Amino acid sequence: MNQHTPSPAGISPASDVTRPRAQFRPPAVHEVRVQGFFGPRIDTVATTTAHTLLNRCIKAGMLDQIDPDRPNPGLSIPFQTGNDTVTTQMFWDSDFGKSIETAAYALYRRPDPELEARVDAVIDAYARLQDENGYLNSWYQRIEPGKRWTNLRDCHELYDAGHLMEGAVAYFHATGKRRLLDIMARYADHIDQMFGPKAGQTRGYCGHPEIELALVKLGRATGEQRYLDLARFFVDERGRQPPHFFDEEARARGRDPKDYHFENHQYTQSHEPVRQQRHVVGHAVRAAYLYSGMADVSTEFGDESLKTALDALWGHLTDKNLYVTGGFGPSAHNEGLTFDYDLPNETAYAETCAAVALVFWANRMLGLGPDRRYGDVMERALYNGALSGLSLDGTRFFYENPLESRGTHHRWTWHRCPCCPPNIARLVASVGTYMYGEAEDAVAVHLYCESEADLDVAGTKLRLSQTTAYPTDGAVKLAVDPAEPARFTLHLRLPDWAGATVAKLNGEVLDIASSSRNGYLAIERQWSAGDTVELDFEMPVLRLHAHPKVGIDQGRVALQRGPLVYCLEETDNGAHLHSLLLDRQSAFRCEEAADLGGAVCLVAEGVRETAAGEALYTPQEPAREQAVLRAVPYHAWDNREGGEMLVWLRQEGA
């Protein structure tokens, strides 16, 4: 008899009022039990990071600002130089929202009465803060009263609301407690009254996209179509002109629209209507959040015109602007894009939040159907550019993720703009939802990891279990266990990095070439309890070469094995990493790094160059001596003794 494990003791998840209309919807967090590679990381978030986030939010003074029963703290973080309208203190509600969302996912993993009580106390403060009309923003209620809705371009009012909405939905599903959900529904009602195309409403939108995707989540959780319609309005309205909303808003504040730190509206992706956009521009996180919201609206309303724009934007990012680690946004100035093929290594900004947001966007694109273009990038960003943002012990964080360091770049305990810590924490804690997709007559496996998922397909319950050491090796065994025999299609991603791949159904070898669609193996049949599928992905060590237009990486290679990109650290290889060259003919061997939680390291032969003398320039070639190169997964760097780091390696003879 097929048994399905209930939710963890003490947690009574509320079921969705409505399900997303995407063809392939992700399962809920509690429907996937994750072990393997991500299991210990989720445990660390649940036991350590979730509390760490609340501790550091409170230590920074956030609860003092939010709780009206506490003395008003006033301005704690100065306004930014060169942009006297913005202080990161304005974003504190968003940090609490993401921290609450992280805590919700942690409670799925393990009951924690202390953590739940701490979140309830923060929610109580928000309940006391909320205005009678539903408005809720701690900055404009306590620090700058009287200025609400006067600067949507810069001040993140709707962005803050969006992250609180996401936290409210997650906490409701995890605990069944409606208080924060009801608070945010009241706020959404107020926003719905304020913004829209009707007479007396503001035809505006937020300078930092986020509320679009949050309203879709809120609409799905509450069943309120109005919230979905409002999300669509914000998407449709962005970039419409003349006049441009942000220009009119600036004039209303008595400011010259040209007096703008970022000079043009590309920074906020509002330079033209979204359906006309074909190039990823501006602030990287804002861009990926917007595209995530666009994908949500596209699937909810069946809007193919948005899909056309999204496909073009996806191609522009992944073909010309994506780091090998899955990060994007090379510039610190705008935390975002500059020009095509501008991918510097040492100065790479590649914000953790941008890689996290790219995972969100890719996952929503997969809602339209299995497609390796999205699944591969989701995996690359998840395992590398995003996961690097969280230390192995769950207490320290990266904001920027360069691909080269002289030894001065390290994780920090907190930041004046602490958006990244709760963002990567909530992603890791909910990673099971990104592994699978379920449709009426199909199931997709997007990511491979030891796990067990309870899904619904073809009118029956399905338990799908993965047994694997992935990404240590490429062997995956899937147990397909429907409660009743049922006919459906099982889609299994075939990673582009894989070498030879063998697939077996109940021990019989399958013809992959004839059964693949869009980079997924599609097995359609009548499934019964006890059926198994085995995959064996060859995991060669790839020496990746950059496009010739990425000038800084020419003559160099980046190492990748499976989904993991690798780097050299000084602690393994000594200083002056640029003096090392990888032997073109060297074979690689895999070794376990006990000081990195058992991570697989790559070891190969190479040489080290040494100067022929003290002269800065000389006609003499440098001397060479044999060297052993040891590379570690990029996501695990800076977890030991500090020092240099390098992703793109010189190769002997290049």
Side-chain angles (χ1 to χ4, degrees), residues 579-641:
S579 69
L580 295 171
L581 290 86
L582 178 65
D583 188 329
R584 278 182 174 272
Q585 305 303 320
S586 177
F588 291 89
R589 64 180 185 271
C590 296
E591 295 183 356
E592 183 178 295
D595 55 353
L596 289 175
V600 173
C601 299
L602 304 179
V603 182
E605 303 301 318
V607 298
R608 181 184 296 275
E609 291 186 336
T610 56
E614 296 300 321
L616 184 58
Y617 304 106
T618 176
Q620 291 181 275
E621 292 188 2
R624 290 186 171 188
E625 59 186 32
Q626 293 299 307
V628 176
L629 279 60
R630 183 179 178 86
V632 301
Y634 174 78
H635 73 256
W637 85 276
D638 197 48
N639 275 281
R640 303 171 294 174
E641 184 178 345

Side-chain angles (χ1 to χ4, degrees), residues 309-501:
L310 287 166
D311 279 337
L313 291 163
W314 184 270
H316 182 242
L317 174 63
T318 58
D319 292 343
K320 299 178 180 180
N321 291 282
L322 190 66
Y323 277 103
V324 70
T325 56
F328 75 105
S331 171
H333 168 68
N334 67 347
E335 296 187 308
L337 282 297
T338 51
F339 53 88
D340 290 349
Y341 303 106
D342 182 28
L343 296 167
N345 294 317
E346 187 175 3
T347 60
Y349 201 74
E351 185 180 340
T352 297
C353 281
V356 170
L358 180 55
V359 174
F360 296 162
W361 180 22
N363 185 251
R364 284 162 171 81
M365 297 300 282
L366 286 167
L368 303 173
D371 190 323
R372 187 168 65 192
R373 290 181 300 161
Y374 310 127
D376 279 2
V377 170
M378 181 170 72
E379 181 179 64
R380 180 178 297 276
L382 172 63
Y383 275 94
N384 302 289
L387 195 56
S388 59
L390 181 64
S391 64
L392 294 177
D393 67 4
T395 66
R396 295 175 296 120
F397 313 93
F398 275 145
Y399 193 107
E400 307 99 326
N401 293 276
L403 282 72
E404 177 183 336
S405 171
R406 301 186 192 190
T408 58
H409 187 75
H410 304 291
R411 289 182 174 84
W412 34 263
T413 57
W414 206 237
H415 196 277
R416 283 193 170 185
C417 184
C419 52
C420 297
N423 224 3
I424 180 56
R426 67 177 178 147
L427 172 61
V428 170
S430 61
V431 71
T433 69
Y434 299 88
M435 295 178 179
Y436 300 95
E438 50 185 333
E440 289 185 7
D441 58 354
V443 170
V445 180
H446 304 306
L447 299 172
Y448 299 104
C449 182
E450 182 96 11
S451 58
E452 189 175 74
D454 290 332
L455 309 173
D456 294 289
V457 63
T460 190
K461 297 291 184 182
L462 168 68
R463 171 160 294 172
L464 189 60
S465 304
Q466 294 190 49
T467 302
T468 180
Y470 191 98
T472 298
D473 68 48
V476 182
K477 183 175 182 178
L478 296 104
V480 185
D481 189 15
E484 302 290 341
R487 187 172 190 83
F488 58 89
T489 303
L490 179 63
H491 298 266
L492 305 170
R493 184 173 61 92
L494 302 170
D496 187 55
W497 51 255
T501 299

Side-chain angles (χ1 to χ4, degrees), residues 212-227:
E212 297 85 353
L213 65 91
L215 283 166
V216 172
K217 282 189 177 181
L218 186 65
R220 290 169 177 169
T222 62
E224 280 288 350
Q225 181 65 35
R226 290 183 297 112
Y227 302 154

